[in-house]
Structure formats: structure tokens, C-alpha cells
Amino acid sequence: TCAPLLPTRPPAPLPGLCAHQASCGDGTQRATTRLTHTHAPAPRTAVGTMVKYSRDAENSTKSCKASGSDLRVHFKNTCVTADAIRHMPLKKAKKYLEDVLEHKQAVPFRYFNGCVGRHAQAKMTGATQCRWPKKSCQFLLHLLKNAESNAEVNNSALCLVAAHAAVSLHQFSFQDGKAGRGVGKKGAH
């Protein structure tokens, strides 16, 4: 005399929520879920895995690599500075960056050169516009020293040349856009 059980449909998701979020959550929606919604944490890379470089060496036994990620430097200044030391021998590149820090030489701005002033030091490189990007030079000098120590560990005591230098933008953090007026911005006063 029991009534047969009828198959039930899953409840419809609430408006503004994905089906997975409506089924496992309490129906509340935070501001961060508007961008992405994941319940599982992001997969972590295993300890000891190699990082991905933008270019592989033709002969890995006679080369060394160094990289930095999410560096707090200006992208355009670092890109132009890296282009200035590309194809330089290591000692010459280190000397060049140290001279830029001491304002003895300048980094030529052939691109990304809007509102960049002209200076006589730019004539040394055949350009007209130049700057002395301090932070970019410090970070690239640190990377060159890191590459030099990597070469010493690998016993490749060769004449090192900065054959490839690539700069890419850092990872941005998203905001929900609900910050108060003037929050996080520097005022003009």
C-alpha cells in the first residue's frame, strides 16, 4: 500500500549562481565569485619541478639560465633595459648596468619612449631619448649575478653572453571594484 517513489529533479539554481555553487553552497554569493568560482584549490606544482622559460638553449651543457617572476618593477623600463644588454658579454653587461646606476651611461629608449626626455648620453648608443631606470637595472644586475653563479655550479666557465632576455607582465590581482572613494589611490595633496 506504499506509494512508489517518483524520481525528483535537482532544484533549479538561484539566479546569478552556477549550478555547482547553488548545490553545494548556502546560496550566498560573495563579490569574488563574480570573477571565478572554484571549490577545489588550485593544483600546486610539485617540489623540484622545473620552471618554464620562454626559450630553450640550443646546447644546455654550455648555457645557464636565470629568471625572476612577479618582480615589482616597471614593465616598460625593464623591457628596454633588457633589450640594451641583449647579446652583451656578461662582464660588459654587468659593467653597463653598474654605469647606468651611477649615471655614467644611459639606457636608450627606442620604443616605449613617450614623454622620455632627450639627453646627450643617448648619443653613445645612437639614440636621442634615454633614462636611468634604477630599479630595473638593480633587478637585471641581480639576475645576471644569479646566472653567473648558476654557471659556476654547472662548471661552465665560458665567456657568458646574455643571448636572450625576455620580460613579460606580472600577474595582476583582481578587485571587485567596491572600494571606497579614494581608497588605495594616492591623492594629489
Side-chain angles (χ1 to χ4, degrees):
T1 64
C2 293
L5 294 174
L6 297 175
T8 58
R9 287 189 297 187
L14 297 173
L17 301 176
C18 65
H20 178 68
Q21 186 180 12
S23 64
C24 65
D26 57 351
T28 59
Q29 183 179 13
R30 291 189 215 107
T32 56
T33 57
R34 290 185 185 133
L35 296 174
T36 57
H37 174 73
T38 56
H39 284 276
R44 299 181 121 191
T45 57
V47 176
T49 58
M50 299 297 289
V51 295
K52 185 178 183 298
Y53 290 94
S54 61
R55 183 176 174 185
D56 290 328
E58 295 160 3
N59 189 354
S60 60
T61 60
K62 295 183 180 180
S63 65
C64 63
K65 296 178 183 178
S67 72
S69 61
D70 294 330
L71 304 176
R72 301 296 294 165
V73 289
H74 290 282
F75 164 73
K76 293 180 180 181
N77 290 348
T78 311
C79 193
V80 171
T81 309
D83 191 33
I85 64 169
R86 187 175 288 136
H87 301 299
M88 277 190 188
L90 182 69
K91 287 185 179 181
K92 185 177 178 184
K94 285 171 64 175
K95 176 78 170 107
Y96 174 75
L97 291 176
E98 289 166 357
D99 285 349
V100 170
L101 289 174
E102 296 171 3
H103 287 240
K104 293 180 181 176
Q105 292 190 46
V107 175
F109 275 64
R110 293 186 176 92
Y111 51 93
F112 298 133
N113 56 358
C115 299
V116 176
R118 295 177 288 185
H119 200 273
Q121 279 190 1
K123 288 186 202 175
M124 297 165 63
T125 57
T128 56
Q129 295 170 297
C130 64
R131 276 187 179 168
W132 301 267
K134 182 180 176 183
K135 254 177 118 171
S136 298
C137 288
Q138 288 172 344
F139 275 95
L140 287 174
L141 193 59
H142 180 71
L143 278 178
L144 287 178
K145 289 178 181 176
N146 190 1
E148 185 179 23
S149 65
N150 289 344
E152 289 173 3
V153 168
N154 294 338
N155 294 327
S156 43
L158 305 169
C159 179
L160 294 175
V161 176
H164 179 70
V167 180
S168 58
L169 285 170
H170 66 87
Q171 189 174 9
F172 291 100
S173 62
F174 292 102
Q175 295 179 349
D176 61 350
K178 291 191 176 183
R181 247 177 81 189
V183 174
K185 297 180 182 178
K186 290 186 178 179
H189 302 289

